Amino acid sequence: MASLGSVFTPVGRKALLLGSGELGKEVAIELQRMGVEVVACDKYPNAPAMQVAHRSYVFNMLDGERLRQIVELEKPDHIIPEIEAIATPMLVELEKEGFNVTPTASAARLTMNREGIRRLAAEELGLKTSPYKFASTFEEFQQAIEEIGLPVVVKPVMSSSGHGQSTVRTQDEIASAWKEAQEGGRAGAGRVIVEGFVDFDYEITLLTVRSVSGTVYCQPVGHIQVNGDYRISWQPQPMSDKALKAAQEAAKAVTDALGGYGIFGVELFIKGDEVIFSEVSPRPHDTGMVTMISQDLSEFALHARALLGLPVPDVRFLGPSASKAIVVEGDTDKIVMNNLEKVLEEPGVQLRIFGKPEIKGHRRMGVILATADTVDAAREKAERAYEALDVTVLPR
Ligand code: AMP
């Protein structure tokens, strides 16, 4: 029997959210809507999800011992990794001791490192991927590029949002790509993946939900990335029946292999009817923020519902929609978003401000959502709203 008890009592459920960014914030809100106690964690205070959680802890989640202390103190019913940079071997240990990790500890461990998930997808599941090699030294790196052939895409094995990622098109870009990857990796200098450049027609995120009801798919999300960071996404991405079927099959294979309950963002490149697996996040995906306007249950609501062990029989798609990331550059703790009367002037436009406390460099601070009769119209509407937005960056 599926049950949820009163919050703050022994019959209630408690979730420990590891990662408190904008995606974690929405997961926290959805869990709260189901009467779940939410404890948010991140490495800095006042992170977005902390602002809507019941309680929070500030610590380095790569510190396994500290992570264990907090888990033992809080005894959560659900440990929910919301970012990749977590001491995942400790999650594996905690899971063995009976704690419940979303979707599974091994999913978090395998996807923390590009090598784990790439080898699983390509070598164990036989999914089509770009050609790839791993390199730990500059010599291995040069060798890998020679074997794959230019152009290649280089990424630290532990990185996300495009940090340390670059495309090498000519011989004289090789040294700078190595340097960039060494500086941009999450764990500092280290191993990189060298991937053959895929000349895709378009790329999608196929949001895939595993729950007690089985596996269901959201409409494919199309998106455009700049330097490995998403700028605009839309739903549905038009696809041939054949490509959509192949995409769902690839998503099923990889999510079944990772197991557990929750939503997965399966990233795929599409060329004609061919589907090339790129990577997967065992949690909501940034490009999937569009579902906050395009579906009856957003990717965050679906994640919460699935991980709580509740049925997700289907996903109701409401209509063509788009999301446009608001990326702000500067060094400040004070920004002001202006001209909102213009930004929100047209019907079918929404704004989310994440509430991040500061910016150093560039940071995604909010998102514009738009819905219209067609995908093109939704994208244009989101772009118009974004063009109207004026952001003031004030000195600290
Ligand atoms: P990732 O962090 O692996 O998701 O990469 C970020 C983005 O870089 C992808 O969404 C693509 O737009 C681009 N990209 C990554 N790998 C490749 C590749 N092998 N060929 C072409 N583009 C790529």
Side-chain angles (χ1 to χ4, degrees), residues 22-75:
E22 59 268 42
L23 307 184
K25 178 179 179 178
E26 294 295 332
V27 172
I29 292 169
E30 295 299 341
L31 289 166
Q32 300 260 16
R33 284 177 160 171
M34 302 300 279
V36 174
E37 183 177 349
V38 180
V39 182
C41 306
D42 212 316
K43 63 177 184 247
Y44 65 96
N46 295 327
M50 292 178 183
Q51 299 174 33
V52 295
H54 291 101
R55 279 196 309 294
S56 60
Y57 291 93
V58 177
F59 71 103
N60 176 3
M61 290 173 290
L62 287 165
D63 179 347
E65 283 315 311
R66 185 79 184 114
L67 178 58
R68 170 178 283 283
Q69 277 174 1
I70 285 167
V71 168
E72 286 177 355
L73 184 72
E74 289 288 350
K75 300 186 179 55

Side-chain angles (χ1 to χ4, degrees), residues 382-395:
E383 293 284 6
R384 271 196 304 278
Y386 180 75
E387 284 311 312
L389 180 69
D390 169 50
V391 181
T392 313
V393 178
L394 295 165

Side-chain angles (χ1 to χ4, degrees), residues 185-251:
R186 190 186 304 136
R191 206 162 156 81
V192 304
I193 182 170
V194 180
E195 290 185 32
F197 187 88
V198 179
D199 184 23
F200 53 78
D201 298 334
Y202 56 92
E203 59 181 318
I204 63 163
T205 304
L206 190 60
L207 295 166
T208 303
V209 190
R210 281 177 59 90
S211 75
V212 287
S213 313
T215 299
V216 296
Y217 308 95
C218 298
Q219 293 285 323
V221 174
H223 51 93
I224 291 175
Q225 307 262 333
V226 178
N227 302 326
D229 197 20
Y230 122 89
R231 293 301 152 94
I232 183 162
S233 72
W234 56 87
Q235 197 188 24
Q237 163 66 46
M239 292 177 74
S240 69
D241 289 345
K242 211 170 157 194
L244 182 58
K245 190 160 173 284
Q248 292 180 345
E249 281 169 7

Side-chain angles (χ1 to χ4, degrees), residues 346-368:
E346 285 188 68
V349 178
Q350 296 183 25
L351 172 67
R352 297 282 191 283
I353 297 175
F354 304 146
K356 291 182 185 174
E358 65 169 359
I359 311 173
K360 274 192 195 117
H362 61 271
R363 202 162 188 201
R364 191 161 57 216
M365 300 302 279
V367 68
I368 287 169

